[in-house]
Amino acid sequence: GSHSQLEDAAPRIVEHPTDVLVSKGEPATLSCKAEGRPAPVVEWYKDGERVETDREDPRSHRTLLPGGSLFFLRILHGRRGKPDEGVYVCVARNYLGQATSRNASLEVAGE
């Protein structure tokens, strides 16, 4: 098959994450869907720092779903802190550029 009719395209975010309020210990999903050619690589950042998922750490409770969404098996929340609470953005990249989603905050519901 010839690729000539298909132009490469910089990523664009077609589904943005929205704010979520989760009870601790419950699962949660932050949606993100990006399009581009070649298919963009999606990364998540929380409060400006890259989020590690099970791709980097097999024991992680966070999974990057095939479409780009971030899935939390359960929201971690301890007396020492709320490691999952914060402001998330999804960034999609390919060689032509990158696209950043809107900010979405993840909040853990009060005790």
Side-chain angles (χ1 to χ4, degrees), residues 9-58:
R12 63 190 185 97
I13 308 278
V14 291
E15 187 183 331
H16 290 265
T18 53
D19 296 350
V20 282
L21 178 64
V22 202
S23 305
K24 70 176 184 185
E26 292 292 307
T29 304
L30 287 167
S31 301
C32 180
K33 196 167 169 199
E35 285 178 356
R37 184 178 299 280
V41 174
V42 170
E43 292 183 326
W44 283 87
Y45 290 83
K46 169 181 167 288
D47 301 330
E49 292 195 9
R50 203 166 93 73
V51 171
E52 287 213 332
T53 63
D54 59 352
R55 297 195 177 182
E56 290 87 20
D57 177 0

Side-chain angles (χ1 to χ4, degrees), residues 1-8:
S2 143
H3 291 295
S4 60
Q5 5 18 357
L6 294 173
E7 292 286 304
D8 283 359

